[in-house]
Amino acid sequence: MEGSEIRDTLMKGDVQAKIGALKSMIAMQLNGESMQPHLMSVMKFCSQENDHELKKLFLYFLEVVDKADSEGNVLQEMILLCSGLYNDLQHPNEYIRGITLRFLCKLKERDLFQPLVSAVKANLTYRVAYVRRNAVLAIHTIYENCPDLIPDAPELIESFIMDADDVSAQRNAFNMLVQCDKGRAVRFLHAYREVNDIAEAGDIFQLAVVQFIRGMIDLNPYEKAEYVPLIFAVMQSKSAAVSYQCALTLLKLSSSPTAIRYAAQALVSLLTNHSDANVRFIVLERLREMHADGFTNPLQEQLVEMLRGLSSGNTELRHQILLFSEKLVNHKNIEAYVQVLKKELVKSQGESNEGDAQAQQDYRFDIVKAIHTAVISHLSVAPTVMPVILDYICESGSSAVGVVGFVREVMQRVPEMRASLIERLLGMLPMLQSPAVMQSVLWLLSTHSSTVADIKSSVEQIKECLAPFPLTSGPSITHRGGADEGGIMSEQETVVTTTIQEDNTYATTITSAAVAGSTYGVNQMSGLRTQVLSGNFFLAASISASLAKLVVKAYGHGSEFHNKSELQASALELLHELISYGTNSAAISRNSTTPSSSSIIDRDSHERIRLCMTLVQNPT
């Protein structure tokens, strides 16, 4: 807009036109184009309007426009403006009063402040809180720039703040006392605390108090004791931000056990109760800093309370809490810690059907790892933990691998628990799903089975898991005949026939016939048999090694073991079945039009099974 166009709009335009003109002038002034020549026109045609938006833009314009001449003297037009500002400070509408007081906070010129002091002070007692809080800001600005105009400003604000019922006005007044008279601010806090509950004050006022105390501690480190009661009083606030700041201030203020304990309680309460996961991560980082600074005992006292944070649905937060909690376990809280994690482990099993299954698997793995770390350091609680932990060895995820690793270390460190753990492992062997877990369990059984009964039970259970025989991956587990009259599934008897074809190549034909009375069905196969039939010959080699170790141990007992030959025969039978299945599968795959590499036994596994057969035949 051109200068003449702006002037005509301000003179003849309606309210909306004037609003558009003022917006354009403000934008041009902010972009570097001086609007000082139009100042008188704006004051003449806009200052008397009562429209709120126009009045606000008018004050914005006065805020950004140059108010001094080239020599730095206040323009005469601005002096003339004081009369209008004085009237606006006494306007019956509280919005007009409030924005005028806010405008005064942007000024620094003494000539503009001087005629308005009485009107500004009168607004401290106005009925509307919006006007009162802005009046405090205006008095603060005038006192900072021209203290001789209101020499009694600190006393005036101190008397005002004692009776203030608006938290924003109270905060503004307190900030003025802090910046203008710190001693008066300290006296006010002690007096206020005697007649009011500072914990019930507004959170913005409480945050101002905490910030003031931290500043005073920096100025006077030897006067910390004076501010401790104030921090304890403010810490009772219901605001999370106030509690957090109070806790950090206490950590900075004092190293006494009481102060550190209060700070730990406040931070742990935020960790467990706050709804924002980002806030919880920040609080957890502060707790780590406390631990790094050597404040371990108060955190150990809050360990069980801290574990309530596991109720959060955030997987990463749960992971971080469990990692941190492992550092806080001691002989006093180990039992309570393990009990909470046991309950959380059972609870996570029920949650797996409601959310991400993989996330729940990872969470259970973290819990098992935390229990593992705690129990290995305090073996006295191992007997109470193992019955619950072993229930999760049958899962197919990472938690089962963690459980079997835990069991392995407990069996090595606590020999008196080996017998009971072997009994549990034997019972769970048919239900295992993970090949890695199966291999570990087989190794545990063959390594720690030392008695005659354990050795015999281990071989029998392995045989039971691999039955029925012969091992076949096709018709032997397909029940064409269904169930017989007694409801027992019929098993397929397999016959393998090798013939010579016209091109002088060999072909193998497999036929089957139903045999009634078998109790093995597709759904009844153990995980061990399923893995072997699917071509996991590395697991078959692990089975062979375990059987060989058990037979060697049996012969090591000498005359105490009366049925060594029967055990040896059973082991040889199993080894023969494994190697026969691998050899037949390889032959079938070579003659098949669509051979599968997964069904062919590898050379290493074949040699290992053969070696185990030799060892079983000559165990002494």
Side-chain angles (χ1 to χ4, degrees):
M1 298 178 68
E2 298 295 334
S4 58
E5 185 180 354
I6 291 174
R7 196 175 301 107
D8 291 341
T9 303
L10 294 175
M11 183 184 302
K12 301 176 182 179
D14 56 8
V15 171
Q16 293 302 320
K18 292 180 180 180
I19 289 174
L22 280 175
K23 288 182 178 180
S24 299
M25 295 172 70
I26 292 171
M28 287 188 287
Q29 177 68 38
L30 293 175
N31 289 330
E33 184 177 349
S34 177
M35 291 289 105
Q36 196 179 72
H38 303 289
L39 179 59
M40 196 63 196
S41 298
V42 173
M43 292 172 54
K44 182 177 180 180
F45 299 110
C46 296
S47 61
Q48 301 302 317
E49 296 287 350
N50 289 324
D51 183 80
H52 289 181
E53 185 177 2
L54 181 60
K55 178 68 71 172
K56 179 179 68 173
L57 290 172
F58 168 65
L59 294 176
Y60 282 168
F61 174 77
L62 295 178
E63 181 181 333
V64 299
V65 75
D66 296 328
K67 293 178 277 294
D69 56 20
S70 58
E71 298 179 357
N73 299 319
V74 179
L75 296 173
Q76 291 300 315
E77 292 90 337
M78 295 301 298
I79 301 298
L80 295 174
L81 179 65
C82 290
S83 176
L85 293 176
Y86 188 87
N87 292 332
D88 286 342
L89 290 174
Q90 296 179 323
H91 199 281
N93 184 274
E94 61 270 13
Y95 180 75
I96 300 296
R97 288 196 185 207
I99 61 174
T100 305
L101 289 166
R102 292 286 292 181
F103 169 68
L104 294 181
C105 297
K106 308 297 181 180
L107 302 179
K108 296 181 180 180
E109 294 78 11
R110 178 188 180 86
D111 294 338
L112 299 180
F113 286 144
Q114 191 168 6
L116 304 176
V117 170
S118 60
V120 172
K121 293 169 68 174
N123 278 295
L124 282 176
T125 57
Y126 193 70
R127 58 183 176 82
V128 179
Y130 173 70
V131 176
R132 295 198 301 271
R133 72 180 67 143
N134 286 295
V136 173
L137 294 174
I139 290 176
H140 188 187
T141 302
I142 295 172
Y143 186 78
E144 276 189 336
N145 293 280
C146 309
D148 58 304
L149 293 179
I150 315 181
D152 61 339
E155 294 85 349
L156 189 66
I157 294 300
E158 184 179 11
S159 61
F160 167 80
I161 194 175
M162 290 299 296
D163 300 325
D165 56 355
D166 177 66
V167 64
S168 296
Q170 198 175 38
R171 186 269 313 271
N172 295 342
F174 181 74
N175 284 338
M176 178 183 170
L177 290 180
V178 169
Q179 296 183 32
C180 300
D181 193 340
K182 289 183 171 57
R184 195 180 295 274
V186 174
R187 290 195 299 272
F188 158 73
L189 283 179
H190 289 294
Y192 182 85
R193 182 167 170 259
E194 291 178 359
V195 297
N196 298 284
D197 185 3
I198 198 171
E200 297 297 328
D203 55 349
I204 57 176
F205 172 67
Q206 293 169 342
L207 287 172
V209 171
V210 175
Q211 185 177 2
F212 167 67
I213 292 175
R214 297 180 72 171
M216 292 301 292
I217 293 170
D218 291 336
L219 291 175
N220 304 297
Y222 298 104
E223 297 181 2
K224 293 180 179 180
E226 182 180 356
Y227 302 104
V228 171
L230 289 173
I231 288 293
F232 283 152
V234 178
M235 185 174 280
Q236 306 305 317
S237 172
K238 298 178 182 178
S239 169
V242 174
S243 297
Y244 177 76
Q245 293 297 333
C246 285
L248 297 187
T249 304
L250 272 180
L251 293 175
K252 182 179 181 180
L253 178 69
S254 174
S255 58
S256 69
T258 302
I260 302 303
R261 188 175 296 108
Y262 269 93
Q265 289 176 357
L267 291 176
V268 171
S269 178
L270 289 176
L271 178 66
T272 57
N273 297 326
H274 205 280
S275 57
D276 192 336
N278 294 319
V279 173
R280 291 187 174 191
F281 278 114
I282 294 172
V283 171
L284 187 59
E285 186 61 30
R286 299 291 85 76
L287 291 171
R288 287 199 185 100
E289 291 177 0
M290 284 184 63
H291 182 264
D293 292 339
F295 302 128
T296 304
N297 290 337
L299 293 176
Q300 289 175 338
E301 295 174 2
Q302 297 293 317
L303 176 59
V304 175
E305 185 69 18
M306 189 187 304
L307 292 178
R308 288 179 54 203
L310 296 175
S311 59
S312 169
N314 190 297
T315 305
E316 180 61 23
L317 180 62
R318 286 172 162 180
H319 175 69
Q320 295 297 332
I321 290 176
L322 287 171
L323 281 180
F324 181 57
S325 68
E326 294 174 8
K327 304 176 182 178
L328 304 177
V329 179
N330 61 9
H331 67 282
K332 295 181 180 179
N333 57 26
I334 176 63
E335 293 186 4
Y337 176 74
V338 169
Q339 289 296 328
V340 172
L341 291 187
K342 283 165 59 177
K343 293 179 182 178
E344 196 65 28
L345 192 60
V346 175
K347 180 181 175 183
S348 68
Q349 186 69 27
E351 293 176 353
S352 59
N353 297 326
E354 302 175 4
D356 185 3
Q358 183 58 43
Q360 292 300 327
Q361 283 277 0
D362 295 340
Y363 178 46
R364 282 196 290 275
F365 176 76
D366 289 338
I367 296 177
V368 171
K369 181 176 176 293
I371 296 177
H372 182 180
T373 304
V375 171
I376 293 306
S377 302
H378 305 83
L379 293 172
S380 60
V381 298
T384 63
V385 174
M386 298 312 299
V388 177
I389 291 293
L390 280 172
D391 291 339
Y392 298 90
I393 201 173
C394 300
E395 293 188 353
S396 57
S398 57
S399 58
V401 178
V403 169
V404 76
F406 183 20
V407 173
R408 176 176 180 174
E409 192 161 358
V410 170
M411 292 180 75
Q412 290 176 343
R413 294 197 177 202
V414 190
E416 57 270 18
M417 291 188 62
R418 290 175 183 171
S420 60
L421 289 176
I422 287 174
E423 183 179 357
R424 289 292 302 275
L425 291 175
L426 286 172
M428 292 181 170
L429 186 59
M431 298 179 285
L432 300 181
Q433 301 180 41
S434 170
V437 174
M438 294 176 190
Q439 293 167 19
S440 298
V441 170
L442 288 170
W443 183 88
L444 289 174
L445 292 175
S446 61
T447 301
H448 295 294
S449 294
S450 55
T451 65
V452 173
D454 288 343
I455 295 172
K456 185 177 180 181
S457 299
S458 298
V459 174
E460 290 177 352
Q461 187 63 279
I462 293 173
K463 183 177 181 180
E464 184 70 20
C465 290
L466 292 175
F469 303 109
L471 294 173
T472 53
S473 59
S476 64
I477 57 172
T478 303
H479 305 283
R480 300 173 182 172
D484 59 15
E485 295 181 358
I488 301 176
M489 298 299 295
S490 59
E491 183 193 349
Q492 304 296 325
E493 182 181 13
T494 303
V495 179
V496 181
T497 306
T498 302
T499 57
I500 302 177
Q501 298 180 339
E502 294 179 357
D503 56 355
N504 295 324
T505 60
Y506 292 91
T508 302
T509 304
I510 301 177
T511 58
S512 60
V515 179
S518 173
T519 59
Y520 293 92
V522 174
N523 296 329
Q524 294 174 311
M525 284 199 306
S526 71
L528 205 62
R529 178 183 173 92
T530 303
Q531 289 293 326
V532 172
L533 294 183
S534 64
N536 190 341
F537 293 106
F538 184 74
L539 177 61
S542 298
I543 296 172
S544 304
S546 299
L547 290 172
K549 288 172 66 176
L550 290 169
V551 171
V552 170
K553 281 192 172 187
Y555 273 83
H557 280 275
S559 59
E560 297 179 10
F561 205 122
H562 302 292
N563 299 320
K564 292 190 292 291
S565 57
E566 294 181 6
L567 186 74
Q568 184 182 27
S570 297
L572 282 173
E573 180 186 358
L574 293 175
L575 295 174
H576 178 73
E577 287 291 340
L578 291 173
I579 202 166
S580 298
Y581 175 71
T583 304
N584 292 336
S585 297
I588 295 172
S589 181
R590 284 194 299 268
N591 291 280
S592 174
T593 56
T594 57
S596 174
S597 59
S598 63
S599 62
I600 302 175
I601 187 170
D602 57 284
R603 181 178 299 176
D604 290 340
S605 298
H606 185 275
E607 291 181 358
R608 190 178 181 192
I609 296 173
R610 284 290 187 188
L611 180 63
C612 290
M613 291 181 67
T614 303
L615 183 59
V616 170
Q617 291 172 345
N618 304 280
T620 55

